[in-house]
Amino acid sequence: MTHTDELVGHPAVTRTADARAGTSRPVRTADRATGERWRFGFPGGISAEVRTLGARLHSLVVPDRWGHGADVVLAARDSEAVRGAARCFGATVGRCAGRIVRGRLAIGDTVHQLDTQEDGHTTNGGPHGFDGRLWRCEPFHSAHRTGVRLFLHSPDGDQGFPGALDAQVTYTLDRDDNLTLSYQAVADAPTAVDLANHVYWNLEGHNRGNVLAHHLRVDASQYVPLAAGRLPLGSYRPVNASPFDLRRARRLSDVLTSADPQLALAAGGIDHDWVLHGGAGRDRPRRAALLYAPLSGRCLEVHTTEPALRVRTGHGLSGGVIGKTGRPYRVHAGVVLQPRRLPALPEGAVDAYALLRPGEVYRSTTIFSFRRIGA
């Protein structure tokens, strides 16, 4: 089959969760450098490890078409990298995922100056964002679902953001091999919130080279182009006749060989947002993307309530991060599929979907559904 979208609903698609017996309750171990480690899953299906430092997904073992499991999540071996070059790998980033230009956050008539990184912008919540915090964790378990719920309090003025914020993220595995990430937050003053996970996927296995043979589909007809410095232009552009037209699945190696100047602005890869569902938020998750690895047969569908999808093709990985098995992660070792709110405009105005007022509850749900193609 030429296009991965033809595989969805095809008789060759089978769930990795067959009739199984037994359960696996979340198990906790302590780590001085990265807080608590929580492992959970169901026998014969996928299993996960979540760490409380950054409320991060550290590993996800998924069976291939023959039933052999492999860890498909990139993560650093050394704790120093988790607080440095790999700080966002698998982490919950916030308060706001993505980049706020010059750290200027406009809410109504007030402009708040946020803490910035070395480039002068505020990225993924600032220099000391949620990815570097120790979250409080509570496990849960039933016959059909298992997982952990993590909590964080962010005080007023944290990284320059107004209002005190109480955030929560829940990782849930079910017997149908769905990993659901659910976010909630409340604030005591108007503020901006965009919680997201920055996991790098390699569906052949985190230590199996690059993802250039993966097929990617994104269900969107518009994307957000970049200006110099990889800053959003603040406008939408049709994907037609561009490498960003992924309405039918394409091999990443074919996409990245395009001479489109937008890829050059992103240093030879994709580091862009697609506008999903016409840019509107939804109460029920809807499919946003599909990723397929031909060798292993692993297929990942992403469903989300969010109005945008950030795709990052790992073009900035250069071997500086050593992976869990001791191998360095090199260029295109993984791909990020990050549902999120629409990116802030260059002048820093908060999109209505990212604005949280007192008395409101921020909610976001993303489902990563795993299947295997063939047998």
Side-chain angles (χ1 to χ4, degrees):
M1 297 182 183
T2 305
H3 298 286
T4 310
D5 33 317
E6 297 172 359
L7 298 171
V8 179
H10 190 273
V13 178
T14 59
R15 293 180 181 271
T16 59
D18 301 317
R20 303 184 188 122
T23 59
S24 177
R25 296 178 180 275
V27 175
R28 177 178 67 91
T29 57
D31 183 278
R32 288 187 300 175
T34 59
E36 297 173 347
R37 305 178 182 184
W38 288 89
R39 296 183 176 92
F40 53 94
F42 290 101
I46 63 178
S47 59
E49 180 182 321
V50 170
R51 299 193 174 183
T52 55
L53 179 63
R56 74 184 61 237
L57 181 65
H58 182 77
S59 72
L60 195 73
V61 177
V62 181
D64 63 10
R65 61 164 59 95
W66 301 281
H68 305 307
D71 186 352
V72 299
V73 169
L74 273 62
R77 179 188 64 183
D78 303 319
S79 59
E80 293 83 2
V82 174
R83 296 184 180 275
R87 54 167 285 192
C88 288
F89 280 38
T92 300
V93 294
R95 286 185 196 189
C96 282
R99 184 173 295 181
I100 298 175
V101 178
R102 296 186 297 278
R104 292 174 58 83
L105 179 71
I107 299 179
D109 296 329
T110 303
V111 176
H112 302 269
Q113 181 58 55
L114 308 180
D115 296 352
T116 60
Q117 276 93 332
E118 292 181 357
D119 63 359
H121 307 295
T122 301
T123 303
N124 290 333
H128 303 288
F130 290 0
D131 56 277
R133 313 288 176 86
L134 284 172
W135 294 56
R136 181 173 61 87
C137 186
E138 295 179 356
F140 61 90
H141 183 80
S142 69
H144 301 285
R145 292 178 175 82
T146 187
V148 291
R149 189 170 290 113
L150 300 106
F151 307 87
L152 182 71
H153 176 73
S154 173
D156 179 29
D158 187 2
Q159 304 298 288
F161 285 93
L165 184 83
D166 287 295
Q168 173 183 311
V169 57
T170 303
Y171 289 87
T172 305
L173 283 178
D174 63 32
R175 287 188 176 273
D176 291 325
D177 284 348
N178 300 310
L179 173 66
T180 300
L181 275 63
S182 301
Y183 304 89
Q184 291 188 26
V186 294
D188 65 1
T191 192
V193 184
D194 183 8
L195 301 176
N197 189 284
H198 200 272
V199 60
Y200 278 98
W201 302 103
N202 186 326
L203 297 186
E204 303 293 7
H206 78 97
N207 58 351
R208 299 297 298 271
N210 61 52
V211 295
L212 293 178
H214 284 46
H215 297 246
L216 176 63
R217 168 178 171 152
V218 178
D219 296 336
S221 59
Q222 293 178 303
Y223 77 102
V224 181
L226 300 178
R230 291 186 291 174
L231 302 176
L233 278 176
S235 61
Y236 304 153
R237 183 177 294 175
V239 300
N240 304 63
S242 80
F244 303 96
D245 189 353
L246 300 178
R247 290 172 292 184
R248 300 193 69 185
R250 297 179 61 192
R251 190 188 304 267
L252 282 175
S253 60
D254 296 335
V255 174
L256 296 177
T257 55
S258 168
D260 191 291
Q262 280 291 312
L263 298 183
L265 283 171
I270 294 173
D271 194 6
H272 294 73
D273 288 278
W274 273 254
V275 183
L276 304 172
H277 325 315
R282 302 178 63 90
D283 294 330
R284 297 174 62 88
R286 178 176 168 182
R287 194 177 77 171
L290 182 148
L291 186 67
Y292 170 61
L295 292 179
S296 64
R298 295 186 184 93
C299 183
L300 167 61
E301 290 186 63
V302 183
H303 293 74
T304 186
T305 57
E306 294 306 283
L309 179 77
R310 183 78 163 191
V311 178
R312 184 175 174 87
T313 54
H315 46 280
L317 302 176
S318 59
V321 175
I322 305 301
K324 289 171 281 192
T325 57
R327 293 185 179 183
Y329 293 137
R330 303 192 185 280
V331 62
H332 303 311
V335 56
V336 175
L337 305 175
Q338 184 186 76
R340 53 167 296 196
R341 303 291 152 111
L342 292 166
L345 300 177
E347 61 268 24
V350 178
D351 185 270
Y353 299 114
L355 178 62
L356 180 65
R357 301 178 179 88
E360 298 176 342
V361 179
Y362 167 94
R363 289 187 174 91
S364 171
T365 299
T366 293
I367 304 172
F368 296 105
S369 299
F370 292 88
R371 309 290 181 261
R372 54 185 176 182
I373 307 299

